Amino acid sequence: AYDVLIVGGGPAGAAAAVYAARKGIRTGIAAERFGGQVNDTLAIENFVSVMETDGPKFAAALEAHVKAYDVEIMNRQRAARLIPASEPGGLVTIEFENGGTLKSRSVILSTGARWRNVNVPGEAEYKNKGVAYCPHCDGPLFKGKRVAVIGGGNSGVEAAIDLAGIVQHVTLLEFGEQLRADAVLVKKLQSLPNVTIHTMAQTTELTGDGNKLNGITWLDRRNNESQHANLEGVFVQIGLVPNTEWVKGTLELSKHGEIVVDAKGQTSVAGVFAAGDVTTVPYKQIIIATGDGAKAALSAFDYLIRTPSA
Ligand code: FAD
């Protein structure tokens, strides 16, 4: 059995693995796809001390750093079930979809999250070529250009306010009759001169020239007329879905499906910690996920030295 078993190999899991291994305890990391979301990222310009890199390079660097330590890496392993220890100080079991099981005295969950797609023509084709999901990450790439934000909930309205300070013009599209964000945010958005808000707007297509995005088409659900705007960027803001389907019913989750953790990364189950985008930690960013992974590993180590083995 492991002392620490990490499930998820993104920035949070990689940082947890490095911190755990440096304590000289038996560490394993199992991931469906090592690197996580950064594999799908083009430019990364906000990991402080690294002026500029790209996703695949960053993912390779994460893996190289973990491999420099005595860590067992199990790639292409999708966890399907977590079984808490049957007694204090006992072993936690992780079952995988391929039928295998691993046991560990402590577990760190870092299975991350995924952005919800709008699933319209053009979205996949122009991803990273005008279609973006993270305003903190990609907002500055659209400086002085025209963008749209799809989604009028808190994240969409926050994104539109944020982007309005950087880009030339923001078009916000909301499917429902009114924006669903907090009133204070809606008021702020409505006060901005370079924002146009369309409600009852169903996005139907993200258009492009074959290389780059060049516009967005939507259906005005009030009169069934199709509308189009020429622009350079579209931010899809219709939700970030944590990868927690497999622990539902076992661990306490927030109403958004995130694993509820305390300030030390402790979950509702003894010996089980969590870090990064999969948790309730605010702001989903690489630098935050790595710090969170380090914290969870230190908490797991603290748990191990205080908890006698069953
Ligand atoms: P993830 O990176 O999501 O990693 C999750 C890991 O868990 C993966 O290895 C995955 O395969 C694995 N996994 C999932 N389910 C299971 C399972 N059941 N069993 C086993 N393994 C599983 N942030 C920035 O700071 N700067 C940027 O420029 C930036 N750009 C971005 C651009 C895009 C297109 C996207 C999608 C995100 C971007 N982000 C950026 C956000 C950043 O990528 C995330 O905040 C960060 O990757 C979160 O790290 P994580 O380790 O918590 O989760």
Side-chain angles (χ1 to χ4, degrees), residues 20-249:
R22 286 171 62 83
K23 293 292 184 191
I25 53 182
R26 187 156 183 230
T27 306
I29 181 166
E32 191 179 357
R33 185 173 66 138
F34 206 93
Q37 291 170 66
V38 291
N39 286 310
D40 307 320
T41 306
L42 218 52
I44 300 171
E45 300 179 350
N46 57 4
F47 192 81
V48 177
S49 83
V50 179
M51 200 86 84
E52 201 190 336
T53 184
D54 64 48
K57 249 195 231 163
F58 191 85
L62 287 177
E63 193 163 354
H65 202 160
V66 173
K67 280 189 167 153
Y69 290 92
D70 190 15
V71 174
E72 263 178 69
I73 302 182
M74 292 154 278
N75 205 354
R76 299 201 178 78
Q77 300 293 323
R78 192 176 157 88
R81 202 152 83 97
L82 181 149
I83 306 165
S86 52
E87 54 194 322
L91 296 175
V92 179
T93 304
I94 302 288
E95 284 182 5
F96 291 87
E97 273 186 2
N98 62 12
T101 60
L102 293 173
K103 288 182 188 289
S104 184
R105 289 179 65 206
S106 71
V107 166
I108 297 172
L109 303 176
S110 50
T111 48
R114 56 191 191 270
W115 297 95
R116 187 170 279 137
N117 294 329
V118 286
N119 290 322
V120 295
E123 181 182 30
E125 190 178 351
Y126 297 112
K127 193 171 181 177
N128 286 332
K129 296 172 184 164
V131 178
Y133 296 83
C134 174
H136 313 301
C137 313
D138 296 340
L141 304 177
F142 296 94
K143 189 169 181 215
K145 296 183 176 163
R146 298 162 299 179
V147 304
V149 172
I150 302 173
N154 276 334
S155 51
V157 171
E158 277 169 19
I161 294 168
D162 175 0
L163 290 165
I166 303 171
V167 306
Q168 182 201 110
H169 186 265
V170 180
T171 302
L172 183 116
L173 301 182
E174 159 60 36
F175 182 85
E177 252 174 82
Q178 41 188 314
L179 301 181
R180 292 162 290 115
D182 299 341
V184 54
L185 292 175
V186 173
K187 208 167 152 199
K188 167 84 187 167
L189 184 72
Q190 287 166 339
S191 76
L192 298 174
N194 59 339
V195 175
T196 311
I197 301 168
H198 297 282
T199 55
M200 293 290 272
Q202 178 180 358
T203 305
T204 51
E205 188 176 357
L206 307 183
T207 59
D209 64 6
N211 287 316
K212 293 198 309 270
L213 177 99
N214 64 15
I216 187 166
T217 308
W218 70 94
L219 185 74
D220 182 336
R221 298 169 60 225
R222 285 193 179 85
N223 55 21
N224 261 340
E225 274 174 25
S226 186
Q227 308 267 1
H228 182 84
N230 295 321
L231 39 77
E232 289 76 37
V234 168
F235 285 79
V236 181
Q237 295 289 305
I238 53 174
L240 186 66
V241 190
N243 297 318
T244 53
E245 290 81 359
W246 66 286
V247 289
K248 211 171 161 193

